[in-house]
Amino acid sequence: MKMTDYDVIYSFYQTVNCGTLYPLKKYPSQKEHHKPTAQFGIDRPQLIFNVVMMFYPYLGNRRKQAVNDFLAWYYKKGYNETSS
């Protein structure tokens, strides 16, 4: 996730209590008038699964379908069989 509103991305980071939060940064490829962006990411499938399941009940049908596609991939890869 990448956005210019650091307070929002920081609140999300605190809520999910995992992942990596990078500070505001202006990338050389950005145009002069663009604001710096903060970035948040999770790189472990089990942690991604935990965050997705935390928010799943609050999603609309379209987003739930995207999560269902992720879950199909997650189980097919066998990530549910190991603890990360």
Side-chain angles (χ1 to χ4, degrees), residues 54-73:
M54 184 186 311
F55 288 94
Y56 189 84
Y58 306 101
L59 301 176
N61 290 335
R62 189 170 58 91
R63 298 243 190 307
K64 279 184 178 178
Q65 184 54 53
V67 169
N68 292 340
D69 294 343
F70 163 75
L71 293 175
W73 170 86

Side-chain angles (χ1 to χ4, degrees), residues 5 25-26 30 33 36 41 43 49 54 71:
D5 298 322
K25 180 178 179 180
K26 181 116 174 163
Q30 288 179 292
H33 66 280
D43 61 358
F49 175 85
M54 184 186 311
L71 293 175

